[in-house]
Amino acid sequence: MTVRYEKAGDVALLAADNPPVNALGLDMRYGLQDGMARALEDGARAVVIYGHGRTWFAGADIREFGKPPKDPMLPDLCNTIEASPVPVIAALHGTALGGGLEVAMACHYRICLGDAKLGLPEVGLGILPGAGGTQRLPRLVGFAKAIEMITTGKPIGAQDAHDTGLVDTLAAPGSDLRAAGLAYAEMLLASGAPPRPTRAIPAPEAVDFDYAQRQVAKKARGQLSPVTALAAVAAAATLSFDDGLAEERRLFNTLMETDQRKGLIHAFFAERQVSKLPELAGVAPRETDHIGVIGGGTMGAGIATAALLARRHVTVIERDSAAAEAGRKRIGTNLAGALRRGKIDQQTHDALRDDHLSTATDYVALAHSDVIIEAVFEDMAVKKQVFAQIEAVAKPGAVLATNTSYLDIDEIAASTSRAADVLGLHLFSPAHVMRLLEVVVGDATAPEVTATGFALGKALGKVSVRAGVCDGFIGNRILSAYRTAADHMILDGASPYQIDRVMEDFGFAMGPFAVADLAGLDIGWANRKRLAPTRQPHERVPAYVDRLCEEGHFGQKTGRGYYVYDDRNRSENPDVIPLIEAERAERGTPARDFTDAQILRRYMAAMVNEAAKVVGEGIARRPLDVDVVLLMGYGFPRYHGGPLKWADLQGLPDLLRDIETFAEEDPHFWQPAPLLNKLVAKGASFDDLNKDAQT
Ligand code: 3HC
Ligand code: NAI
């Protein structure tokens, strides 16, 4: 029974009970339709709808998207509720989102618990509110607020909803929802309140929709849904309510057919799928209350901040007291930022900074740590030395983690006598902000140590992805491949600025060379030096950027790299093209033109091919793991769903053909991934592998 029916005096109560989030799937829609009919047959003078469990309806059932729609459809259900001859009251709690909020807006009155969140997040799924939300919300809160809520998809708090007229009355957090809804209904009946259909409210005063369109398009950066959703809202200003609904439906159906919708919904489910690993079912994680961090530099300070914000006790070890003090200062700045952004209050801030954090130079201070995360320089000899010191003091059962970006975790583990306790916890910079965590599992890592990595990731609010050991794990390994493709194109005639523009047009917030400037050109420089001794003669590695580094130009932090930085503005560095041209001349490589389409194709083919190798070798368990890593850690445009979802949508045979063509020029770099060959031969997709992994 997804909707439980009850009659209390003159009031019928419909309690939605479809865990975990009361999604408005077919059964729920039937249940509500039947419940409304039964209430009227029963002679109820008012109807209260509320959600059992943790929330009011969190939206339409996303799993039904892309399948043939079944009656009763949500817009019709909303119209039925709104047409009720007796008042219908929505009693909201938890998250009233998407179709859930649309049902609430079709009700005549709304009461809401003080800690509820209300929103129309559809644009984040590549669609728009399709059950009257674009027509009813402006009538309740005005165009400006409706545009903001609908085009950003960001939910608002109960107080804001009350202040703007979206809800009529607030109940204290923790109140009994059924009782609060019933009391409100009785009060309305006593005062003779009539049904109050939202559609009867005249459309509010129009705003400058052209201006709004320009603003929304600028922020959307290629994403279709916010701009289309705005068009649906604008219809409310010019069309009758019913015509507005029809226009909303037309635009909704258009978006439903787009690859962007498929990409965004893939991203939604992939993010929730990554931490579901059969090998961890039933494996209990170890404690994660006390976290030790070695190194208080960029990453160490970020990791310590993330752990503090998750209310852990944190001990940071540095080389000397000056470095320890510098680390404490970095953490202090991060915590002050969290306070400024309202993530923590002053009291919590002070407690975290003064009571939860300690710094030391003696490793003995780590004796009580449950998890110790090393974030010292990226150098194998230094890491091994640090692990020897950790091992000497860590309590039995402590998890010993490294934040290395590239180094061999099995080699680090083998240098200790507790290899089963060792794993990689690869966070991304800034570690207290970026939500990705690669949990890197070594040959000897014990299952409960992996489970602890995932448990800590969850506590820190991260999306954790399992990765195997190889140079760069999932993300940095794939990054190296597409960066190499970009470097080759530069040596062959493209400019870094053209490549950045093409990739930014594709939807990346920054192209690869702007990213290199942000990360610091010194990182790539050090990596090139590290790999130089094992480099094969056929490998083409550009040297021009080393010239910039030799002169101390490391990108944003020194104000100069591929670009010159002046406050927040960037402009092309005039030294770069001559350096590239000189290198081409030295190598005897004539420059040729690349079209934007050719650049995109090569860049993406390199990314997909390496990603297929990563999956084929078992470094990533499933294609969706790669997608989540690139989406959460590398700025891959979410509306393309991740590189392997994008590849599926493009068609794997065409991509393989491209790779084979590129291989005619450079057979070393462009070796097709065996998995890609296999999928094309079988006529299968990466998504088929995702599905196989679930069964
Ligand atoms: N449909 C189907 N399944 C849903 C769902 C939905 N709308 N929302 C959540 N779920 C599932 C999740 O996939 C997850 O399943 P799993 O346990 O098998 O992995 C489970 O419910 C719990 O979800 P979360 O892990 O995300 O739980 P949280 O407590 O962290 O978050 C939430 C809860 C804030 C409600 C979050 O799930 C969320 O944001 N959901 C999506 C809300 C949304 O986008 N609604 C709009 C839908 S589109 C729509 O309504 C169209 C309409 O306009 C016609
Ligand atoms: P960093 O240079 O900012 O910080 C390293 C810190 O370690 C310094 O403060 C140094 O004093 C300290 N340190 C060095 N040896 C030590 C020792 N023996 N004992 C205690 N402290 C010691 O470097 P960063 O960028 O924080 O990188 C650290 C690690 O994180 C590296 O392995 C790096 O590859 C990895 N990483 C870096 C990312 C980044 O974007 N910077 C992203 C993800 C991982």
Side-chain angles (χ1 to χ4, degrees):
M1 207 52 154
T2 46
V3 177
R4 285 191 275 114
Y5 179 87
E6 176 198 357
K7 181 106 182 292
D10 284 338
V11 180
L13 292 128
L14 310 185
D17 191 4
N18 185 22
V21 297
N22 280 324
L24 285 151
L26 182 63
D27 286 351
M28 182 66 90
R29 299 196 301 273
Y30 263 129
L32 287 171
Q33 194 184 44
D34 287 355
M36 285 301 300
R38 186 168 162 195
L40 298 179
E41 277 164 23
D42 262 3
R45 291 178 54 226
V47 182
V48 173
I49 305 177
Y50 70 101
H52 189 76
R54 68 194 221 211
T55 185
W56 170 263
F57 315 101
D61 189 333
I62 304 170
R63 289 165 304 185
E64 290 181 353
F65 291 178
K67 298 181 185 154
K70 290 202 177 124
D71 287 332
M73 306 245 294
L74 198 54
D76 300 331
L77 176 65
C78 287
N79 290 340
T80 304
I81 292 171
E82 192 175 51
S84 162
V86 301
V88 187
I89 294 107
L92 309 170
H93 81 301
T95 41
L97 299 177
L101 184 57
E102 291 175 295
V103 169
M105 291 191 292
C107 294
H108 303 139
Y109 297 91
R110 285 157 290 278
I111 178 170
C112 174
L113 291 200
D115 52 1
K117 294 252 180 292
L118 299 84
L120 292 173
E122 284 89 342
V123 291
L125 299 170
I127 54 171
L128 52 78
T134 63
Q135 307 303 299
R136 289 193 178 93
L137 187 61
R139 285 174 162 80
L140 289 167
V141 302
F143 276 116
K145 186 75 179 171
I147 289 172
E148 184 196 319
M149 286 178 68
I150 291 173
T151 63
T152 66
K154 285 201 188 114
I156 59 172
Q159 187 62 52
D160 194 0
H162 184 247
D163 295 346
T164 49
L166 181 52
V167 300
D168 301 291
T169 180
L170 294 180
S175 315
D176 178 70
L177 196 64
R178 182 189 164 282
L182 186 56
Y184 184 46
E186 282 166 347
M187 190 274 284
L188 287 169
L189 284 180
S191 66
R196 196 184 55 170
T198 306
R199 66 165 63 215
I201 303 172
E205 200 180 323
V207 292
D208 184 346
F209 285 104
D210 289 339
Y211 174 77
Q213 203 273 346
R214 286 194 298 278
Q215 295 300 106
V216 171
K218 202 159 109 193
K219 274 205 204 128
R221 303 205 3 262
Q223 190 173 331
L224 300 169
S225 50
V227 182
T228 315
L230 177 67
V233 176
T238 50
L239 302 181
S240 69
F241 186 83
D242 283 325
D243 288 348
L245 279 189
E247 177 63 357
E248 175 192 87
R249 182 100 311 237
R250 186 185 72 75
L251 293 168
F252 178 85
N253 287 337
T254 322
L255 286 177
M256 202 50 127
E257 293 309 311
T258 59
D259 283 350
Q260 291 197 0
R261 190 276 293 167
K262 293 173 192 157
L264 285 161
I265 286 182
H266 170 74
F268 177 87
F269 285 115
E271 249 170 57
R272 286 160 175 79
Q273 200 61 30
V274 278
S275 58
K276 291 180 184 146
L277 293 171
E279 74 255 37
L280 296 186
V283 179
R286 297 181 188 165
E287 297 293 321
T288 62
D289 292 339
H290 288 260
I291 308 292
V293 179
I294 313 198
T298 309
M299 288 308 290
I303 294 167
T305 309
L308 287 167
L309 292 173
R311 313 297 191 262
R312 268 45 190 173
H313 289 274
V314 178
T315 304
V316 176
I317 302 288
E318 258 292 355
R319 290 183 292 178
D320 52 46
S321 48
E325 203 38 50
R328 181 180 273 281
K329 225 169 150 187
R330 276 184 205 104
I331 298 165
T333 307
N334 293 343
L335 286 176
L339 173 64
R340 216 176 31 251
R341 285 191 298 276
K343 281 188 156 188
I344 44 174
D345 59 24
Q346 185 71 49
Q347 199 186 352
T348 311
H349 167 271
D350 295 352
L352 295 178
R353 187 191 57 190
D354 303 334
D355 307 335
H356 279 239
L357 173 66
S358 56
T359 53
T361 54
D362 189 338
Y363 280 63
V364 169
L366 298 176
H368 299 294
S369 296
D370 299 308
V371 180
I372 299 172
I373 307 173
E374 162 282 306
V376 303
F377 304 133
E378 184 77 343
D379 178 308
M380 183 56 95
V382 178
K383 303 262 190 213
K384 281 185 180 170
Q385 200 194 1
V386 165
F387 267 80
Q389 285 171 276
I390 297 174
E391 196 180 9
V393 297
K395 66 182 182 185
V399 169
L400 315 183
T402 169
N403 182 51
T404 180
S405 306
Y406 287 93
L407 299 178
D408 185 344
I409 287 167
D410 289 331
E411 189 179 334
I412 296 174
S415 76
T416 73
S417 61
R418 316 186 188 184
D421 293 330
V422 176
L423 87 169
L425 290 179
H426 183 218
L427 291 104
F428 290 70
S429 180
H432 57 297
V433 176
M434 293 285 285
R435 289 192 55 222
L436 179 64
L437 166 67
E438 284 182 321
V439 178
V440 190
V441 181
D443 285 345
T445 308
E448 72 266 23
V449 171
T450 308
T452 311
F454 276 89
L456 182 61
K458 191 165 181 203
L460 265 47
K462 307 292 178 198
V463 174
S464 307
V465 180
R466 182 200 186 282
V469 176
C470 67
D471 204 78
F473 319 122
I474 298 177
N476 281 343
R477 172 168 161 186
I478 296 171
L479 165 73
S480 298
Y482 61 80
R483 267 306 306 265
T484 301
D487 286 341
H488 288 177
M489 285 190 273
I490 287 180
L491 292 178
D492 290 335
S495 92
Y497 311 111
Q498 186 189 4
I499 295 176
D500 272 1
R501 182 178 49 72
V502 170
M503 297 324 298
E504 286 165 17
D505 287 349
F506 179 75
F508 278 91
M510 287 171 136
F513 299 99
V515 169
D517 270 359
L518 177 68
L521 298 183
D522 47 327
I523 293 185
W525 192 29
N527 214 26
R528 283 191 293 282
K529 285 193 244 177
R530 177 176 70 87
L531 296 173
T534 52
R535 191 166 294 145
Q536 302 299 311
H538 58 76
E539 286 182 57
R540 291 200 297 158
V541 180
Y544 70 90
V545 60
D546 295 353
R547 305 288 93 79
L548 291 176
C549 295
E550 284 156 11
E551 288 181 18
H553 302 314
F554 294 150
Q556 281 199 21
K557 60 185 161 192
T558 60
R560 215 173 173 82
Y562 283 97
Y563 297 88
V564 178
Y565 296 87
D566 167 22
D567 273 341
R568 299 183 68 117
N569 296 324
R570 73 178 196 201
S571 56
E572 296 177 9
N573 179 351
D575 299 339
V576 169
I577 298 290
L579 285 173
I580 294 172
E581 284 169 349
E583 182 166 359
R584 285 189 200 127
E586 208 174 295
R587 288 171 177 266
T589 320
R592 65 173 202 254
D593 283 339
F594 285 87
T595 64
D596 290 357
Q598 284 169 331
I599 286 178
L600 179 65
R601 207 65 194 169
R602 278 179 187 250
Y603 194 89
M604 290 304 299
M607 194 185 300
V608 171
N609 200 37
E610 194 65 23
K613 290 178 187 170
V614 161
V615 176
E617 292 167 22
I619 298 297
R621 277 287 157 83
R622 301 150 295 191
L624 64 84
D625 293 299
V626 171
D627 285 341
V628 170
V629 167
L630 270 288
L631 288 172
M632 311 281 305
Y634 296 81
F636 191 94
R638 194 174 168 89
Y639 59 77
H640 291 304
L644 296 181
K645 182 67 184 176
W646 178 87
D648 275 351
L649 291 168
Q650 298 298 302
L652 302 189
D654 282 355
L655 266 168
L656 179 58
R657 248 190 315 275
D658 279 356
I659 293 167
E660 285 165 348
T661 312
F662 304 150
E664 287 167 16
E665 264 172 38
D666 181 352
H668 292 293
F669 180 69
W670 291 105
Q671 286 174 18
L675 178 64
L676 192 53
N677 272 320
K678 205 165 105 189
L679 290 176
V680 171
K682 281 192 351 195
S685 66
F686 287 112
D687 222 25
D688 291 331
L689 296 181
N690 289 329
K691 287 184 189 128
D692 289 350
Q694 270 182 47
T695 49

